[in-house]
Amino acid sequence: MPKQPYHLNSTERTLIAVLLIIVIFVSPMSNFWAALDAPWFSPYLAWAVAIFLSWLLQRHIKDSLDK
Amino acid sequence: MRFEVWQLFLISILYLGLLFVIATAAEKKWLPESLVKHPIIYTLSLGVYATSWSFYGSVGLAEREGYTFLAVYLGVTIAFMASPILLKPILRLTKEYQLSSLADLLAFRYHSPFSGILVTLLMLTGALPYMALQIQAVTDSLQILTNETQSGFISLGFCLMITLFAILFGARHITPREKHEGLVIAIAFESLVKLVALMTVGLYAVFGTFNGFSGFSSWLENNTEATKALMQPIHDGPWAMMLLLSFSAAFLLPRQFHMIFVENIKTSNLNYASWAFPLFLLLLNISIPPILWAGQSMDLSYGPDLFVLGVSMQSQSAILPIFIFIGGISAASAMIIVTTIALASMCMNHLLLPVSLPKHKQQGVDLYSLLIWGKRILILLIILAGYAFYLFLQTHQELTDLGLISFVAVAQFLPGIFGLLYWNKASRQGFVSGLIVGALLWVITLILPLFSKAGWLVNSPLENIMIPMSSTDSAFWTLLLNSIFFIGASILWPQTEDERKAATACCNNNQGPTHAIPVASTINEFESGLAETIGSETAAKEIKLAISDLKLNEAELDRSDFASLRVQIRHNLSGLIGPVLAGMVVNEQLEVDTSAKVAIADTIQFVEKSLQDSRLELKEISGELDSLRRFHRQVLHDLPLAAVTISLEYQVVSWNKAMEKLTGATEQSMIGKDISRLTSPWSRLILNFLKGDKAVLRSSRINLDDQISILNLFKSDVSGLAENEQHGFVVLLQDHSEIHQLESELAHSERLASIGRLATGVAHEIGNPVTGIACLAQDMQAIPDDIKLQKESIDDILNLTNRISTIVHSLLSYSHVGAEIGHSPETVELRKMIKESLRLVSLSHKGKQIHFINNCPEELTLSGDHQKLLQVLVIVLTNASDASTEGDEVTINATEKNNMIELTVNDSGSGINENILDKIFDPFFTTKQAGEGTGLGLSLAYNIIKEHDGNIEINSQLNKGTQVTIRLTKPGNTLNI
């Protein structure tokens, strides 16, 4: 029987995205966007990537609390 | 360009007045609801996060710490990105349990009034430097624009004005469950003003100072150090700690908690805000580097904290500085208004009410007025405390330093929040000890040095114990020690039972079956109980509100409803007076009936919901068991037979799809409810059946929408594991209407077939009197003058026609279609009915040869369908006569035994072979020749007798005879529906 594709639930997706953002902002990866000779707006670009990820995350969330 | 103080005050009042008009327009529904409830309004209202620190202080922080100032907003972005696992669970708790502040939430989780007090005090203390920051920023901006040196008057005037508006926005009336829609839209408007103002200065910096983007780029090319100065602190500065601080401040600051959770109208708005709010912050901050560089290139005389205003003042227009001033007022006023409203609610619930409620109980003051006036006074006191703090500091502080002190204070709640969400073993001792240690260290490392800097600790012993350090270092050490104590004490001191329940409610999605049955069992008892503490008027209103929240009918409340009502009142009161006091009021005034069992329906619902909502997928054997459980549940649910499981307290435990279809009541509306809540006639039918002794009830007639339905009911006890343990009942309902109709049609066909078989006898019986009538008529014609003969002949003719009429009447009556559905049982005189059946049987050739003896007493009566019972007798007597030989006797006896009528028909005929005795009630089974019988007679008789709640037995011996015994219910013993 072929294996069913594994779908991430919203918690798993959120954890992965948060970890990714922490890696981008807190690890040595910050050397890429915060290099001394980088354009002045590069931190804002990194920030915009995080916002785009947030937008992707929340698209499929349905809420049971809303009446 | 200079302005007068009164001009700026007038502008401020006009601006705040405009906000009030906008808020009123939202509250009075003058604005379209789609706008007021739009997620963009909610998102903009979260912009209260950006205070004077962001508006003025960001440029100063950028100058000192470079791009580290962005960490203050990137932490917020991470917190909002983690919203499904961080903010949503908190939102669910605040909505479900009506928790209106962080103190409420933590006091609820750690089940301790002391936790609430501690959180409130730390929040209050932590907020004061932040409020002082706002007052300082507004005062500084006013001083720059007016060149006024007397700051005391300006700042006090600003504080009093803000107090007035804070009361107008947040404490005009008590709205614990309604949201402050006016406040939300006013704060959203303020955020928009801040954003537009800051972006305008940014654009002015680029176009006004650098003459456009090309000039801006060439300035940067010529000043490469400017960009490097911003980038360098990311690698060297306290970047990670700043991220952590802003992450916690994003939802733990009183104003943030209030706007994110308390004022949330729709959960989905939080999804929208999870990306839109960080986008708002990005747009707000993108102007900061250009403004900083513009200020530096202009060589302004003000400190960088006021570059925003300074750059705007370089424009030749008076409009831009005024607009920036309004932006600054927006930032400061929004922060102070929302913070004081949130803090007032916390102080009310955790400091004031626990002291004043017992006194109030004796004086009988209305709770609502106590709350509203208490909040107003608290708002005034908190703002004045903020003002006192501002005066107390004397020397001007950097705006961001004051803000960071508050950030470190609220970060102390992080361990508690993570315990609340993810560690259900975290205990009250852990939380309280961690918080005390963290708060003390915060005071030693940040507050005392602040006072010392202001010159208030000269020669004080406190100066010796203080350990000055930077905000980020303080954040690290306070959080480290706080967490160690939190974890250590939680492991050392286990939770109490109440804490465990609260922890389960927070970590999982529900609190367990806590719907304990209260002693009070009427609305009046509820009212009088609650009135003792919260006043009669408030009690009546709260009960009405809880009934409406639960969508209950006040006239039809059962015990399970009162249990739900008690829980709902507690939740609603929690929104008014906090969870701790609400719990105390409800536990004291609406005591639980300890003798009443927690309903099994609640337990099953709880287990079902827990399994459904479980965050962890069940693995292997547990998963298999869960699948099996779901399979069995689904089988019961999809069963084509209506099935309901009922507890011993008559509460519905399960309710399947067929039951929904049959009764029209949905599973959701019935689970956990008393079965008597079901509409008539179902409730009466099921309850009478449950209370009765019979396990099977056949052919119960019920009237549904002027249509009669025939139902068969079956019940069985649901037993537990232990011997004689019973959990409830399972009841099956079978709609028998269609089968009943078919059976009636079959019985009618069988009757017509019998009439066909009787045809020869009938012809003979009618033929004889007709011949007699003809002879008499001929005699009368022959001797017309004999009056006596004429008279006698006429009498004879009449007798003969009566005989014919009786035969025809019997046949007609017998062949008539059986009673229709809905025909109610009638009282039948047994002897008369036997006579009628004998008359019919005697029409046949065989019947005439048998001697029937009717020994039935006159007084015996039956309850049932005359037509059908007659058919049974005709079938049994015809069989008896068929089995007998000429001249044999068939005896019919009837007696009354134990409220039952026992009727026996004995013949001395051929009897029945023992081998076929068990088949004689089968349809189409016959021993007669083809054309003499259909094989349906005894099968029909059996069904008719069962339908009449009776039984039929046949005892036979080959060649000796047969005895048929029929037992039927006496009138008055039938189940009337």
Side-chain angles (χ1 to χ4, degrees):
Chain A
M1 190 189 283
K3 274 196 169 182
Q4 293 287 319
Y6 184 76
H7 293 289
L8 295 173
N9 62 31
S10 66
T11 306
E12 290 164 337
R13 281 201 302 267
T14 306
L15 277 174
I16 290 170
V18 169
L19 285 175
L20 188 68
I21 289 302
I22 290 174
V23 167
I24 291 173
F25 285 123
V26 190
S27 74
M29 268 189 80
S30 59
N31 289 334
F32 288 102
W33 56 267
L36 295 182
D37 53 351
W40 72 272
F41 50 81
S42 57
Y44 292 95
L45 276 182
W47 191 358
V49 169
I51 292 169
F52 179 68
L53 267 179
S54 290
W55 176 77
L56 281 180
L57 270 180
Q58 63 80 41
R59 276 191 315 159
H60 303 293
I61 296 173
K62 286 176 185 168
D63 291 292
S64 55
L65 284 173
D66 287 342
K67 288 179 184 172
Chain B
M1 194 167 299
R2 291 285 172 259
F3 300 89
E4 295 298 322
V5 174
W6 67 267
Q7 287 175 326
L8 296 180
F9 256 99
L10 186 66
I11 288 166
S12 308
I13 289 171
L14 287 175
Y15 174 66
L16 291 172
L18 173 68
L19 288 184
F20 184 66
V21 170
I22 292 170
T24 310
E27 281 177 6
K28 301 267 182 195
K29 314 282 178 202
W30 296 337
L31 295 175
E33 197 167 332
S34 56
L35 172 74
V36 177
K37 292 188 174 168
H38 196 278
I40 204 159
I41 298 295
Y42 174 72
T43 304
L44 283 172
S45 74
L46 302 183
V48 70
Y49 181 77
T51 63
S52 301
W53 170 0
S54 304
F55 196 78
Y56 293 123
S58 281
V59 181
L61 188 60
E63 196 260 348
R64 290 191 303 279
E65 303 285 351
Y67 273 135
T68 304
F69 86 93
L70 285 183
V72 176
Y73 309 97
L74 286 171
V76 179
T77 305
I78 295 171
F80 273 77
M81 180 182 266
S83 136
I85 53 171
L86 181 72
L87 306 183
K88 288 271 181 72
I90 299 177
L91 182 63
R92 175 185 67 80
L93 288 171
T94 53
K95 275 183 188 262
E96 265 184 36
Y97 299 97
Q98 298 282 352
L99 307 171
S100 57
S101 67
L102 185 65
D104 282 1
L105 180 70
L106 291 169
F108 170 77
R109 163 59 179 87
Y110 295 101
H111 209 77
S112 140
F114 183 62
S115 301
I117 295 170
L118 208 59
V119 173
T120 305
L121 288 175
L122 186 57
M123 278 278 192
L124 194 59
T125 322
L128 294 182
Y130 217 146
M131 287 170 66
L133 180 161
Q134 310 307 316
I135 298 166
Q136 182 179 314
V138 171
T139 311
D140 286 352
S141 65
L142 269 163
Q143 280 180 319
I144 288 173
L145 288 170
T146 59
N147 226 7
E148 179 69 54
T149 50
Q150 294 295 319
S151 62
F153 161 70
I154 295 171
S155 48
L156 183 64
F158 172 71
C159 288
L160 292 176
M161 192 166 66
I162 290 296
T163 305
L164 176 70
F165 280 96
I167 291 171
L168 284 174
F169 284 128
R172 246 185 320 156
H173 39 73
I174 285 291
T175 54
R177 285 162 293 279
E178 299 160 36
K179 310 290 179 187
H180 297 98
E181 286 175 354
L183 175 74
V184 173
I185 202 154
I187 300 297
F189 181 77
E190 290 202 295
S191 297
L192 198 62
V193 170
K194 281 183 286 195
L195 178 66
V196 176
L198 217 48
M199 288 188 90
T200 309
V201 186
L203 287 174
Y204 175 77
V206 174
F207 290 97
T209 313
F210 299 111
N211 296 318
F213 287 113
S214 55
F216 180 61
S217 298
S218 51
W219 186 89
L220 283 175
E221 277 168 23
N222 296 331
N223 296 274
T224 49
E225 288 306 308
T227 312
K228 281 182 188 168
L230 289 184
M231 294 291 191
Q232 189 62 47
I234 292 179
H235 308 287
D236 306 337
W239 174 258
M241 215 57 219
M242 285 289 277
L243 277 179
L244 182 66
L245 283 177
S246 65
F247 171 85
S248 59
F251 63 104
L252 295 179
L253 281 170
R255 62 178 189 280
Q256 289 306 110
F257 192 94
H258 189 85
M259 296 314 287
I260 297 173
F261 306 117
V262 183
E263 298 293 354
N264 177 281
I265 295 171
K266 282 196 291 182
T267 312
S268 56
N269 284 356
L270 193 52
N271 299 338
Y272 188 91
S274 67
W275 62 270
F277 179 51
L279 182 65
F280 165 83
L281 294 175
L282 186 147
L283 294 174
L284 194 75
N285 282 285
I286 202 152
S287 309
I288 302 299
I291 295 170
L292 171 67
W293 293 323
Q296 284 173 340
S297 71
M298 286 174 189
D299 204 14
L300 292 175
S301 57
Y302 319 111
D305 272 354
L306 291 166
F307 272 10
V308 174
L309 200 60
V311 169
S312 72
M313 286 177 75
Q314 300 307 307
S315 68
Q316 297 307 309
S317 160
I319 295 172
L320 190 58
I322 291 292
F323 189 36
I324 298 306
F325 172 72
I326 289 174
I329 290 282
S330 291
S333 62
M335 182 271 164
I336 297 178
I337 288 171
V338 181
T339 302
T340 47
I341 290 170
L343 285 176
S345 168
M346 268 191 254
C347 294
M348 191 69 184
N349 293 349
H350 299 278
L351 301 180
L352 203 63
L353 274 180
V355 184
S356 64
L357 206 59
K359 285 181 191 168
H360 150 76
K361 188 175 166 180
Q362 290 159 3
Q363 291 160 1
V365 184
D366 180 52
L367 178 69
Y368 287 151
S369 60
L370 179 79
L371 287 173
I372 196 76
W373 279 105
K375 272 192 183 173
R376 287 171 187 171
I377 294 166
L378 281 168
I379 286 173
L380 175 69
L381 291 177
I382 292 166
I383 292 179
L384 288 180
Y387 175 69
F389 201 88
Y390 160 74
L391 291 180
F392 193 59
L393 293 176
Q394 289 291 328
T395 53
H396 284 191
Q397 304 290 324
E398 303 289 355
L399 293 180
T400 48
D401 287 350
L402 291 172
L404 280 173
I405 290 173
S406 293
F407 274 30
V408 178
V410 294
Q412 302 312 312
F413 304 121
L414 264 186
I417 284 290
F418 279 93
L420 181 149
L421 291 175
Y422 310 115
W423 190 32
N424 59 7
K425 301 280 180 219
S427 73
R428 176 175 59 219
Q429 285 84 354
F431 173 69
V432 170
S433 58
L435 196 58
I436 289 175
V437 169
L440 283 177
L441 204 58
W442 171 73
V443 171
I444 293 169
T445 55
L446 293 177
I447 295 293
L448 292 183
L450 191 71
F451 286 176
S452 171
K453 203 173 165 187
W456 283 87
L457 297 183
V458 180
N459 299 326
S460 160
L462 288 173
E463 204 160 25
N464 300 324
I465 61 164
M466 72 178 192
I467 311 167
M469 56 175 77
S470 70
S471 296
T472 46
D473 285 352
S474 167
F476 174 78
W477 290 109
T478 51
L479 273 176
L480 182 69
L481 285 177
N482 183 340
S483 303
I484 289 171
F485 273 79
F486 176 68
I487 295 166
S490 292
I491 292 168
L492 284 175
W493 284 283
Q495 295 170 324
T496 60
E497 183 58 22
D498 287 336
E499 264 188 273
R500 196 189 55 72
K501 279 184 190 169
T504 311
C506 293
C507 288
N508 301 321
N509 274 346
N510 44 71
Q511 199 177 358
T514 54
H515 287 215
I517 309 284
V519 176
S521 57
T522 63
I523 292 291
N524 286 342
E525 284 174 16
F526 261 66
E527 264 187 38
S528 55
L530 286 175
E532 281 184 33
T533 313
I534 61 172
S536 54
E537 200 180 325
T538 315
K541 276 185 190 168
E542 286 301 318
I543 289 169
K544 216 168 197 176
L545 189 68
I547 289 174
S548 137
D549 287 346
L550 291 169
K551 297 188 176 68
L552 294 175
N553 182 352
E554 199 174 328
E556 293 175 5
L557 296 176
D558 57 38
R559 293 202 85 188
S560 65
D561 290 334
F562 281 109
S564 307
L565 192 62
R566 182 178 179 274
V567 175
Q568 188 63 38
I569 287 172
R570 182 178 170 163
H571 288 174
N572 289 354
L573 279 180
S574 176
L576 273 180
I577 57 176
V580 178
L581 274 179
M584 280 164 61
V585 168
V586 170
N587 289 341
E588 269 180 32
Q589 305 303 332
L590 300 175
E591 282 175 28
V592 170
D593 183 357
T594 46
S595 63
K597 282 188 197 172
V598 171
I600 188 170
D602 276 350
T603 313
I604 289 177
Q605 259 186 301
F606 165 65
V607 173
E608 288 279 332
K609 197 166 184 290
S610 300
L611 286 171
Q612 207 174 347
D613 296 344
S614 174
R615 288 179 191 174
L616 299 169
E617 282 181 34
L618 296 168
K619 304 281 182 199
E620 297 175 355
I621 295 174
S622 317
E624 293 290 327
L625 281 172
D626 186 52
S627 304
L628 203 61
R629 178 192 68 81
R630 283 172 195 272
F631 177 73
H632 285 141
R633 193 183 182 284
Q634 204 58 38
V635 166
L636 187 66
H637 194 66
D638 295 340
L639 202 68
L641 198 63
V644 53
T645 320
I646 298 165
S647 70
L648 293 175
E649 293 86 16
Y650 298 120
Q651 286 182 333
V652 175
V653 179
S654 77
W655 189 264
N656 77 351
K657 225 190 276 179
M659 199 70 194
E660 285 186 342
K661 196 177 165 193
L662 188 66
T663 61
T666 60
E667 184 187 12
Q668 207 182 2
S669 67
M670 288 309 299
I671 296 288
K673 298 285 186 302
D674 199 292
I675 191 70
S676 60
R677 292 279 299 279
L678 193 58
T679 49
S680 187
W682 296 107
S683 53
R684 200 145 46 95
L685 171 72
I686 297 174
L687 266 176
N688 284 344
F689 179 52
L690 281 177
K691 288 173 183 170
D693 300 328
K694 290 174 188 167
V696 179
L697 183 61
R698 288 180 191 279
S699 301
S700 288
R701 292 172 160 81
I702 58 165
N703 193 343
L704 294 173
D705 301 328
D706 297 331
Q707 214 179 350
I708 299 294
S709 289
I710 305 289
L711 294 172
N712 288 341
L713 284 86
F714 309 87
K715 82 171 167 197
S716 174
D717 294 344
V718 179
S719 49
L721 289 174
E723 205 180 335
N724 296 330
E725 188 188 7
Q726 193 189 342
H727 284 320
F729 315 91
V730 59
V731 177
L732 303 178
L733 285 89
Q734 183 188 29
D735 191 348
H736 202 57
S737 306
E738 278 184 28
I739 296 171
H740 182 85
Q741 189 64 37
L742 287 172
E743 280 177 352
S744 296
E745 284 169 16
L746 198 62
H748 183 57
S749 306
E750 164 59 24
R751 277 199 301 276
L752 293 179
S754 322
I755 289 166
R757 285 196 295 275
L758 296 174
T760 322
V762 173
H764 182 70
E765 283 295 314
I766 294 175
N768 284 346
V770 168
T771 311
I773 290 167
C775 288
L776 288 166
Q778 281 170 6
D779 287 349
M780 285 164 71
Q781 202 176 27
I783 316 166
D785 300 332
D786 190 342
I787 303 297
K788 194 184 168 195
L789 179 71
Q790 292 274 346
K791 258 188 168 180
E792 283 173 359
S793 296
I794 287 168
D795 287 344
D796 288 343
I797 287 170
L798 283 173
N799 284 335
L800 288 167
T801 50
N802 276 343
R803 199 173 143 196
I804 294 168
S805 173
T806 310
I807 293 165
V808 170
H809 179 77
S810 297
L811 278 174
L812 276 177
S813 160
Y814 184 61
S815 65
H816 194 268
V817 177
E820 288 177 5
I821 293 175
H823 183 80
S824 34
E826 56 195 298
T827 304
V828 178
E829 289 177 37
L830 190 54
R831 190 178 168 85
K832 259 189 182 175
M833 191 172 68
I834 294 170
K835 264 187 183 174
E836 200 177 337
S837 63
L838 287 176
R839 203 160 38 234
L840 285 163
V841 174
S842 300
L843 288 172
S844 70
H845 176 67
K846 199 71 190 277
K848 281 195 190 81
Q849 297 170 352
I850 309 298
H851 183 49
F852 291 101
I853 303 165
N854 182 358
N855 290 333
C856 178
E858 289 280 353
E859 72 277 2
L860 284 187
T861 53
L862 282 173
S863 175
D865 184 333
H866 177 272
Q867 183 74 9
K868 287 184 175 176
L869 291 172
L870 179 66
Q871 189 173 4
V872 172
L873 281 176
V874 168
I875 290 165
V876 172
L877 290 169
T878 304
N879 283 345
S881 67
D882 286 347
S884 302
T885 51
E886 190 177 347
D888 280 356
E889 282 186 356
V890 172
T891 317
I892 303 136
N893 295 311
T895 51
E896 185 185 332
K897 277 183 190 171
N898 302 328
N899 288 324
M900 298 284 282
I901 303 288
E902 189 174 285
L903 180 90
T904 54
V905 176
N906 291 293
D907 69 64
S908 51
S910 55
I912 305 166
N913 194 328
E914 204 178 329
N915 297 336
I916 58 165
L917 205 55
D918 56 344
K919 294 179 188 165
I920 54 174
F921 289 116
D922 292 352
F924 304 109
F925 179 82
T926 182
T927 55
K928 292 175 185 172
Q929 297 294 317
E932 286 182 13
T934 56
L936 288 171
L938 278 177
S939 162
L940 272 171
Y942 179 84
N943 283 338
I944 292 170
I945 295 299
K946 280 284 166 195
E947 206 177 282
H948 282 76
D949 221 7
N951 63 60
I952 179 168
E953 266 177 33
I954 294 185
N955 295 307
S956 185
Q957 282 184 305
L958 203 58
N959 300 321
K960 283 190 178 175
T962 303
Q963 183 187 51
V964 179
T965 309
I966 297 170
R967 292 184 193 89
L968 288 162
T969 323
K970 266 195 75 182
N973 289 326
T974 49
L975 187 79
N976 293 316
I977 307 303

